[in-house]
Amino acid sequence: MTQTTSSLPQLPPAPRYRTLRRFVANRLATIGAAIIALLVLLALAAPLLAHYDPVFDQDYGNILAGPSAAHWLGTDDLGRDIYTRMLFGSRISLQAALISVGLAFSLGVPIGIISGFYRGAVDAVVMRVVDALQAFPSLILALALAAALGGGFYNAMVAVGIGFTASFVRLARGQAMTIRNLDYVMAARAIGAGNLRIMWRYVLPNALAPLVIQATFAMGTAIIAEAGLSYLGLGARPEDPSWGSMLHIAQGYLNTNPTLAMWPGVAIFLVVLGFNLLGDGIREVFDPRLAR
């Protein structure tokens, strides 16, 4: 008698599918991923979805107008379409997150791993620099560095990235200090593997999970920092469709046209919330203590 398909032993799902199922089971993390996916989609498709040029198309007959068929979210103080500027503002926010966090990650992770792996004088020097950077509030440090670099969007993002670097150095250092003493690293050293190979092949891959989680949370903070610097005139140019610049313009019309501030404010809130929810979901996936 042949055995039915239902009575056959079932293979356990592959690890990557278990990880994906655990992530999808977290509804808040799924919502966060959807928000970030929507941000990326809007940023990529902004030229196709926009009705006007975000800078040069100015309707002087409809200054500070409310929502209409021609301007879905109204217009600003120069008659520029807010819907169009919101779309292109998503590009600036996404660039801000990628540039600043990418810079902090690419600088902080190698320095932290080298510091934690070798210890000694190298570690002492690195940690004193990190302590000095972390003695300042991140926004104050970004303001000082952006002013020293001369302002502008890319200089501001470099300043924010430098401010984030210290946290990545400290986290990567802690991971390297733990991993360097594990059995598989000792075994690799016993068979003749060099320090660079050990750091690249064993330390870095096993330290990536908490670093990716940190990077996800930092992206939300980077968007807030960019908006703050643009609001203060040290980030994007005033005419650029940055959400922070839009808030700076809106502050003069809060009593007469509060929707000018509402749209960029809501966008910043949702995107930062999305990155935080996504970071929580990734942390739950990679941390076995949180697995259910």
Side-chain angles (χ1 to χ4, degrees):
M1 183 175 179
T2 58
Q3 193 176 24
T4 61
T5 304
S6 59
S7 62
L8 292 175
Q10 299 294 318
L11 295 175
R16 62 178 179 273
Y17 295 118
R18 290 201 301 268
T19 300
L20 180 61
R21 284 166 54 182
R22 196 187 312 160
F23 180 84
V24 173
N26 188 328
R27 294 184 179 180
L28 292 178
T30 306
I31 293 173
I35 293 174
I36 302 309
L38 179 62
L39 171 69
V40 174
L41 178 63
L42 292 177
L44 294 176
L48 301 176
L49 299 175
H51 299 162
Y52 305 94
D53 184 273
V55 177
F56 299 107
D57 285 344
Q58 302 176 3
D59 186 357
Y60 294 112
N62 285 302
I63 292 177
L64 298 176
S68 64
H71 304 285
W72 291 355
L73 300 182
T75 60
D76 64 5
D77 60 329
L78 295 178
R80 296 171 296 194
D81 185 62
I82 294 177
Y83 166 74
T84 299
R85 290 176 65 79
M86 289 294 298
L87 286 176
F88 281 89
S90 65
R91 286 188 156 193
I92 293 180
S93 293
L94 188 60
Q95 287 183 61
L98 293 176
I99 292 173
S100 59
V101 177
L103 176 63
F105 193 95
S106 60
L107 288 177
V109 172
I111 294 173
I113 288 178
I114 292 172
S115 176
F117 188 86
Y118 285 105
R119 302 300 302 276
V122 174
D123 183 51
V125 172
V126 169
M127 293 313 298
R128 296 298 75 76
V129 175
V130 168
D131 290 340
L133 289 175
Q134 292 191 318
F136 297 93
S138 57
L139 184 58
I140 300 300
L141 179 61
L143 280 170
L145 292 174
L149 293 173
F153 174 74
Y154 292 104
N155 287 340
M157 291 307 97
V158 170
V160 173
I162 293 174
F164 287 165
T165 299
S167 61
F168 282 96
V169 171
R170 190 176 291 277
L171 181 58
R173 172 182 177 268
Q175 293 295 310
M177 289 172 60
T178 300
I179 296 171
R180 70 192 291 269
N181 295 320
L182 297 180
D183 291 340
Y184 59 85
V185 175
M186 298 297 185
R189 185 178 285 113
I191 63 175
N195 289 336
L196 290 179
R197 179 176 175 81
I198 290 174
M199 285 187 288
W200 175 257
R201 185 73 181 272
Y202 300 103
V203 177
L204 178 60
N206 288 284
L208 275 181
L211 291 169
V212 170
I213 296 169
Q214 173 71 16
T216 306
F217 286 119
M219 286 186 176
T221 307
I223 290 176
I224 295 177
E226 184 277 327
L229 291 175
S230 296
Y231 178 86
L232 296 172
L234 292 173
R237 297 174 301 176
E239 66 271 17
D240 289 338
S242 164
W243 293 341
S245 297
M246 294 174 70
L247 286 174
H248 177 74
I249 294 172
Q251 71 173 345
Y253 304 96
L254 289 177
N255 293 328
T256 58
N257 197 336
T259 57
L260 283 180
M262 182 183 73
W263 299 118
V266 169
I268 294 171
F269 168 77
L270 289 177
V271 171
V272 174
L273 177 65
F275 275 115
N276 287 338
L277 293 178
L278 180 60
D280 281 334
I282 296 174
R283 180 173 58 186
E284 182 172 322
V285 166
F286 284 111
D287 192 341
R289 295 171 297 180
L290 300 177
R292 296 181 176 87

